[in-house]
Amino acid sequence: MLSLENFNKRKFPLRVLATSALALSMVAGFSIAHADDSPLPKLANKKPLRVGFAQTESNNPWRLAETKSFKDVAAKCGWQMVMTDANSSASKQVADIQSMIAQHVDLIVFPPREEKPLAPIVLQAKKAGIPVILVDRDVDQSVAKAGKDYITFIGSDFINQGQRAADWLVKSTGGKAKIIELEGSTGASAANDRKKGFDDVIAKNPGMQIIASQSGDFARDKGRQVMETLLQAHPDVTAVYAHNDEMALGAIAAIKAAGKQPGKDITLVTIDGTKGGMDAIAAGELGASVQSSPFFGPLACDVAQKFAKGETVPPWVKVSDRFYDKSNVKESMQYGY
Ligand code: AHR
């Protein structure tokens, strides 16, 4: 039997495991793809186009807005959508995309839940002759490269979002804070880069200290639970940086349950610009939110049409983001989702 114990004792050699994985993927109709120098697969300039959209999960307003933007643009763009939902599982997202490849869709568009596990499937799609556009999050560039293995990455600069959140926090706390950081889904480019951008700025400010940093998986209830535990371990916390609005809203609930006032005892800053986040800013409970736009449908349509016509598409189509705090939140409500 294959157990962790005999695996560790090498009674089951790695070579056998690798061969079994390869055999399994062959049986399933897929061989392991490696990066190569072949050109990107072509995209037919036709309508309708069968387009696969593989969503990561649908448990927050950001994801719902992203999915809706594809549903809304489909008819206008001449796309027949094949849509899946990975229910927060990177391996289900891989399987969803494998099924799209097996169905020979014309184009695959997806936000990779995590950077590393979703990179090889991009190569498999290329090998199968199906072009890919990544939206929102990117994959590990040492495995699959934008412009070479897939058409482009359309998305925000997550490092910059983290920097902007940190700059606001430094300013609004006078450069003195004990910070709890609620990280997004482990292994997601959005979580990795938002952490890097924020932590690098904080490290340059000696009065600012990150006292705890833990994943809340970009989910409201997980954010609340993590914050509840961290509040007990660190009652001296004065600020929270959450990688998205949903976790910040969960943290606000935990702060209130602990008898503290969000926005007064603890300053919160976050990323997304959802309606819920903007309402919390207007109520004085959330300090600021850096916008992260989920509206990729029209951008992906535009990129696909250009690519199909043979026009040049840059490897990164950068999305620029607004910023909301008490100074502008009321007149910006129209941008919430
Ligand atoms: O990748 C973008 C992030 O993913 C959004 O900030 C978050 O709300 C979503 O789940």
Side-chain angles (χ1 to χ4, degrees):
M1 193 178 80
L2 175 57
S3 68
L4 191 60
E5 196 195 359
N6 59 30
F7 174 79
N8 285 342
K9 284 183 194 156
R10 289 291 185 99
K11 282 186 188 155
F12 207 95
L14 280 176
R15 212 178 38 226
V16 177
L17 275 180
T19 313
S20 314
L22 181 63
L24 268 176
S25 62
M26 301 286 256
V27 168
F30 293 96
S31 56
I32 293 167
H34 298 282
D36 59 41
D37 289 329
S38 62
L40 284 167
K42 296 240 179 301
L43 179 61
N45 192 5
K46 62 165 191 184
K47 282 184 185 173
L49 211 58
R50 285 182 72 231
V51 179
F53 177 67
Q55 183 54 284
T56 55
E57 57 242 318
S58 301
N59 63 353
N60 76 43
W62 197 100
R63 291 284 143 206
L64 297 177
E66 184 183 48
T67 302
K68 186 173 179 306
S69 90
F70 281 93
K71 284 185 177 159
D72 289 352
V73 87
K76 220 171 104 199
C77 202
W79 285 0
Q80 268 173 11
M81 303 299 297
V82 176
M83 297 189 125
T84 55
D85 183 336
N87 293 321
S88 304
S89 156
S91 53
K92 165 132 179 18
Q93 195 179 25
V94 170
D96 289 343
I97 297 164
Q98 278 176 338
S99 146
M100 290 171 184
I101 296 172
Q103 292 173 58
H104 302 292
V105 296
D106 297 305
L107 169 71
I108 297 175
V109 184
F110 72 99
R113 187 170 200 278
E114 289 148 43
E115 276 183 303
K116 289 186 190 298
L118 269 303
I121 194 70
V122 171
L123 302 180
Q124 279 186 19
K126 182 183 179 191
K127 198 171 169 208
I130 304 175
V132 168
I133 296 174
L134 297 184
V135 292
D136 156 30
R137 297 182 190 169
D138 213 343
V139 289
D140 184 345
Q141 293 298 293
S142 69
V143 179
K145 270 199 174 38
K148 178 178 167 284
D149 299 310
Y150 55 99
I151 301 174
T152 187
F153 164 61
I154 309 176
S156 297
D157 182 339
F158 291 137
I159 293 184
N160 180 256
Q161 290 179 342
Q163 289 165 340
R164 292 172 81 189
D167 287 341
W168 180 88
L169 194 61
V170 171
K171 211 167 157 199
S172 68
T173 58
K176 222 175 157 312
K178 292 191 169 170
I179 309 158
I180 286 178
E181 179 168 353
L182 296 175
E183 299 170 24
S185 305
T186 306
S189 64
N192 293 342
D193 291 354
R194 285 174 183 173
K195 179 165 183 60
K196 179 173 173 30
F198 182 86
D199 291 9
D200 285 354
V201 172
I202 296 304
K204 290 185 194 125
N205 287 271
M208 311 281 292
Q209 194 195 346
I210 298 170
I211 53 176
S213 186
Q214 204 175 306
S215 174
D217 204 13
F218 281 130
R220 188 185 297 208
D221 202 48
K222 189 79 196 292
R224 183 191 58 75
Q225 288 169 30
V226 171
M227 188 65 199
E228 230 169 62
T229 311
L230 291 179
L231 263 171
Q232 284 169 14
H234 303 279
D236 53 339
V237 56
T238 61
V240 170
Y241 165 49
H243 290 190
N244 78 344
D245 283 4
E246 282 295 288
M247 292 191 296
L249 295 174
I252 286 173
I255 291 166
K256 285 181 178 168
K260 298 196 180 198
Q261 262 190 289
K264 292 217 161 61
D265 301 320
I266 300 178
T267 305
L268 291 102
V269 63
T270 177
I271 296 170
D272 265 359
T274 59
K275 272 201 177 74
M278 292 169 93
D279 287 343
I281 296 176
E285 296 184 334
L286 178 61
S289 184
V290 184
Q291 187 204 32
S292 194
S293 172
F295 303 115
F296 293 108
L299 296 175
C301 168
D302 187 49
V303 162
Q305 288 179 345
K306 284 195 169 119
F307 183 75
K309 281 188 234 154
E311 289 175 34
T312 310
V313 175
W316 183 3
V317 177
K318 210 187 267 195
V319 174
S320 59
D321 301 307
R322 300 168 196 275
F323 187 92
Y324 310 120
D325 63 9
K326 66 173 189 274
S327 71
N328 67 351
V329 76
K330 290 210 170 107
E331 68 263 23
S332 306
M333 286 296 182
Q334 58 189 302
Y335 304 117
Y337 46 88

